[in-house]
Amino acid sequence: MAKELKHLTKRAENYSQWYNDLVVKADLAEQSPVRGCMVIKPYGYAIWEKMQAQLDKMFKETGAQNAYFPLLIPKSFLSREAEHVEGFAKECAVVTHYRLRANEKEGGVEVDPAAKLDEELIIRPTSETIIWNTYRNWIHSYRDLPLMCNQWCNVMRWEMRTRPFLRTSEFLWQEGHTAHATREEAEEEARRMLKVYADFAEHWLAVPVVQGVKSATERFAGALDTYTIEAMMQDGKALQSGTSHFLGQNFAKSFDVTFLNKDNKPEYVWATSWGVSTRLIGALIMAHSDDNGLVLPPKIAPIQVVIVPIFKGDEQLAAISAKLKPVVEQLRQLGISVKYDDADNKRPGFKFADYELKGVPVRLAMGGRDLENNTVEIMRRDTLEKENVSFDGIVERIEKLLDDIQTNIYQKALNFRNEHIYECDNYDEFKERIKDGGFFLCHWDGTEETEAKIKEDTQATIRCVPFMFEQTEGVDMVSGKPAKHRVIIARSY
Amino acid sequence: MAKELKHLTKRAENYSQWYNDLVVKADLAEQSPVRGCMVIKPYGYAIWEKMQAQLDKMFKETGAQNAYFPLLIPKSFLSREAEHVEGFAKECAVVTHYRLRANEKEGGVEVDPAAKLDEELIIRPTSETIIWNTYRNWIHSYRDLPLMCNQWCNVMRWEMRTRPFLRTSEFLWQEGHTAHATREEAEEEARRMLKVYADFAEHWLAVPVVQGVKSATERFAGALDTYTIEAMMQDGKALQSGTSHFLGQNFAKSFDVTFLNKDNKPEYVWATSWGVSTRLIGALIMAHSDDNGLVLPPKIAPIQVVIVPIFKGDEQLAAISAKLKPVVEQLRQLGISVKYDDADNKRPGFKFADYELKGVPVRLAMGGRDLENNTVEIMRRDTLEKENVSFDGIVERIEKLLDDIQTNIYQKALNFRNEHIYECDNYDEFKERIKDGGFFLCHWDGTEETEAKIKEDTQATIRCVPFMFEQTEGVDMVSGKPAKHRVIIARSY
């Protein structure tokens, strides 16, 4: 085994360090010279592209269209929706000047003080304000509704503590912004998009999620309701993986967006917004990967199958390749992405370790003996099981194996998640057990005081009121007051 | 005809106003509240998405991979490559602060003076500097080369005079940045990508282009050679539509990027960069469109076929739809994008005018009489020719028609371009004729003085030394000095 690739911290030793190591060693991303901003390397970006392609298709199936709105937002826009700015718009990158000039004394360039903007511009932390300012001109009548735009773009929030993919100052995301004639339609849209996110997480990322609604404290700034999908990582912590907001008429009122209804009377428009980001790559890594590296579900893996001939000299390589190349072609025609790695400047052991690290779901290897015996070695990354199998029917076998791996990865994550969801009715017990992670289903009296106390005592937060469990009334484990339902409480990223 | 859609300035009246009108009326883009920045509306963005999809495929076929580098660049990076900063890096958006705070006196928010950055950050005007700073850590040996990354992103240059798509402060583009072991490989890459751009422009946008190399004056700041594709607009002006730069070792030296060659000796890496932007949408509009609106080549049209039933009442609609819907399905199965517009809140005349304005290549309409006669009306947008044809075999007819339209649009633009390329050897004649536009093939003595005089006298510039013409030596029409070759001189956007 190639030792240089294997210096990966073990999960049991230090889960957090394991994650950071893996992001770098699997060539997903690295720190940039700009504080809190990362470079997404080609292999990491290829995963993002696969996510984008599938999500984009799903968005368009709901009727959303893509568009592009400006990166910079006038400062005054952020003041328009009071709760919005109060909530999170403070830590922003601010553009104050528009020109550099030569620095005569010290060389290089300096900011030209004469080129000061009259009004500062903010790099979008999210685009509700500028989009609703635009929608005012696009919406006149009920015939213009619903209006459903999405944009794929970069956003910036000046984070103090950053971690690759999970929390960075600049990140890539998509933000959908929809406008509707009625409250019901907008609420339906917010829930529809939550379901799109949940379907995507489960069927493509193989990450089971809990769908639910946030408490008032955890809502998006300016929303009436924030829906969320919460995934469980292997350390039992929650990762908020996507949110969909019912915004009521808040932004329509702040930006004066009205429409004439069928009775020709003006009404304020109802709004939603919804987004997922490169954070999903973090979820993918932390949900499935192991001490050997990434484990990628086949549907999202940039390389689904790697084929490695093991050879001495050109003649043997030619003989093995003659047998394997048609398989490469057949797999590609099935839409499976295959890498044929016959590079002669790396040993097979090095290649194997590298593809394990990168999470390639299926590895095929064929050497001289295999060639004689009409066999091939097949390895599945999720279980690391190796088998020597007949070469006949290998294409069908691989096709089926990819499906099996997708299912298995999901099932494994689902079992883990289900084994770590606990009903809990005793606060002392909760405080003890939360240290080991997991999702705790607890009755909550609905007050901010209780929520704050739990956070203060345990660092855990109310992740959501989950939709998936049948709810019964009970008693809040902290306050002893009556509670309408159980919420999920967990520590989170 | 729906008059409200038809208020489009005619090209002959005011070409520039026609363009501005069309961008807005065809729902491509609009001005945003941020100076010089536009909102790209869904229909305009759909064109960009089709361009992206095809270009991305072509880039990947050359071996390039996508990645993502930070939006913000430390100010000091821009000073590192002296020519680069001298050339264009001055008009930039500068981030100086990272926090807002509540404005206690006036309400709203203000910049928090305590949150001032130690070093200002610049919104990327292009990413050579931050990418080459990153490549230093990615490149160690000749085995790491070539390294070919592309990114799709937004960039910002603080332009004083802006026009939608053609010149905006923020724009979307792709920038490829490649690193090579030898000068020859890098030069070959720069030319390869120029050819990719030319193929894309001609076969997809149906825009013929002149490939060539820029004069020293017109080179990208920091490049040893800038290759360009120059397209001719309908007013005879040139539009630089894509550039590919051979950067030599300039950036490698500035950012200390070396590799160990096969003899284990360190050498500086050779570089290229290449890019096209949303400017291509401007080229597309100005090359083909007419006084009725957009004319889009089918390969790049978001909607390739629109089908409009003409009906009175639900019963007739049902009968016509029963006949047309299978056609919609069959076309979609061929990968053709079809809109079936049976909305009853707009008259057919309004729909027709709107789809003409939006440049939908083929329009089908069927009314009661067509239904009886088993016919259908088919209209091609490029020539505005209408025909009543048999319904039988309509799918094959449409498929063929789309190909014909693509060819015809290209041929028309090619004829126009070729008719407006003139050899010219007399400066007085040149100064007179340049007023009417066109590409002038003139001998040039290679001096900056002559180049400056031509620009001063006529506003025309040397677009490139073209590759497509056989070159002969001659005499510079301005200076009377010997000239090695003819260059293309034109006014440009």
Side-chain angles (χ1 to χ4, degrees), chain B residues 47-289:
Chain B
I47 294 175
W48 180 237
E49 282 182 300
K50 292 209 89 168
M51 291 184 180
Q52 283 188 298
Q54 178 57 24
L55 282 167
D56 198 69
K57 191 163 163 271
M58 293 168 89
F59 298 159
K60 283 175 178 159
E61 280 165 5
T62 72
Q65 298 178 290
N66 287 335
Y68 188 77
F69 297 87
L71 171 71
L72 298 178
I73 298 180
K75 188 189 63 179
S76 58
F77 278 30
L78 293 183
S79 314
R80 298 270 278 274
E81 212 295 302
E83 287 179 43
H84 186 61
V85 66
E86 189 53 42
F88 85 98
K90 301 293 202 314
E91 309 293 325
C92 298
V94 186
V95 175
T96 56
H97 292 75
Y98 59 85
R99 194 188 304 136
L100 300 173
R101 66 178 186 189
N103 184 331
E104 304 292 349
K105 282 181 202 157
E106 298 170 29
V109 287
E110 63 184 3
V111 177
D112 182 347
K116 193 173 185 309
L117 291 169
D118 292 335
E119 180 182 1
E120 296 90 346
L121 297 167
I122 313 301
I123 297 181
R124 61 183 162 219
T126 179
S127 302
E128 276 79 5
T129 56
I130 196 148
I131 288 179
W132 278 87
N133 186 68
T134 308
Y135 279 2
R136 186 173 56 247
N137 301 319
W138 293 6
I139 297 171
H140 305 288
S141 135
Y142 69 93
R143 288 189 198 86
D144 300 321
L145 299 172
L147 175 62
M148 303 192 285
C149 290
N150 175 60
Q151 76 175 350
W152 292 96
C153 65
N154 52 346
V155 288
M156 194 144 221
R157 300 169 188 182
W158 209 265
E159 300 286 353
M160 283 300 141
R161 288 186 185 186
T162 62
R163 297 193 63 191
F165 296 118
L166 300 178
R167 193 176 298 277
T168 49
S169 291
E170 183 189 14
F171 57 93
L172 304 182
W173 81 345
Q174 60 68 217
E175 46 180 324
H177 297 269
T178 71
H180 305 267
T182 67
R183 178 182 186 113
E184 292 67 35
E185 277 179 51
E187 287 192 313
E188 193 189 326
E189 167 74 6
R191 285 179 181 247
R192 178 185 304 120
M193 297 317 295
L194 186 76
K195 192 165 176 315
V196 166
Y197 290 154
D199 284 350
F200 174 73
E202 300 190 345
H203 297 132
W204 290 79
L205 307 185
V207 174
V209 292
V210 175
Q211 301 179 48
V213 61
K214 288 282 184 192
S215 67
T217 317
E218 300 279 334
R219 257 178 223 150
F220 175 72
L224 299 194
D225 265 320
T226 286
Y227 300 103
T228 180
I229 53 171
E230 301 280 329
M232 186 187 288
M233 302 296 99
Q234 290 179 69
D235 60 353
K237 281 195 191 172
L239 184 76
Q240 178 180 306
S241 304
T243 48
S244 179
H245 314 292
F246 168 57
L247 302 171
Q249 295 175 310
N250 286 347
F251 285 93
K253 285 177 180 166
S254 303
F255 288 91
D256 196 25
V257 186
T258 59
F259 70 102
L260 290 177
N261 66 19
K262 288 188 179 172
D263 303 325
N264 220 30
K265 290 194 178 123
E267 283 186 54
Y268 285 112
V269 175
W270 296 87
T272 83
S273 66
W274 29 272
V276 294
S277 72
T278 34
R279 188 165 225 234
L280 286 177
I281 299 176
L284 192 67
I285 298 168
M286 287 207 294
H288 306 309
S289 300

Side-chain angles (χ1 to χ4, degrees), chain A residues 384-396:
Chain A
L384 294 170
E385 283 164 353
K386 264 195 305 208
E387 249 190 305
N388 247 70
V389 302
S390 166
F391 187 76
D392 301 334
I394 191 67
V395 169
E396 294 71 27

Side-chain angles (χ1 to χ4, degrees), chain B residues 331 334 336 394-404:
Chain B
L331 289 170
L334 293 168
I336 295 168
I394 192 66
V395 169
E396 294 71 27
R397 183 184 279 266
I398 291 171
E399 224 185 341
K400 185 173 173 310
L401 184 56
L402 289 169
D403 284 346
D404 288 352

Side-chain angles (χ1 to χ4, degrees), chain A residues 208-258:
Chain A
V209 292
V210 175
Q211 300 179 50
V213 62
K214 289 280 182 192
S215 67
T217 316
E218 301 279 335
R219 256 178 224 150
F220 174 72
L224 299 193
D225 264 321
T226 287
Y227 301 103
T228 180
I229 53 171
E230 301 280 329
M232 186 187 288
M233 303 296 100
Q234 291 178 69
D235 61 353
K237 282 194 191 172
L239 184 76
Q240 178 181 305
S241 304
T243 49
S244 178
H245 314 292
F246 168 58
L247 302 171
Q249 296 174 309
N250 287 346
F251 285 93
K253 284 177 180 166
S254 304
F255 289 90
D256 196 24
V257 186
T258 60

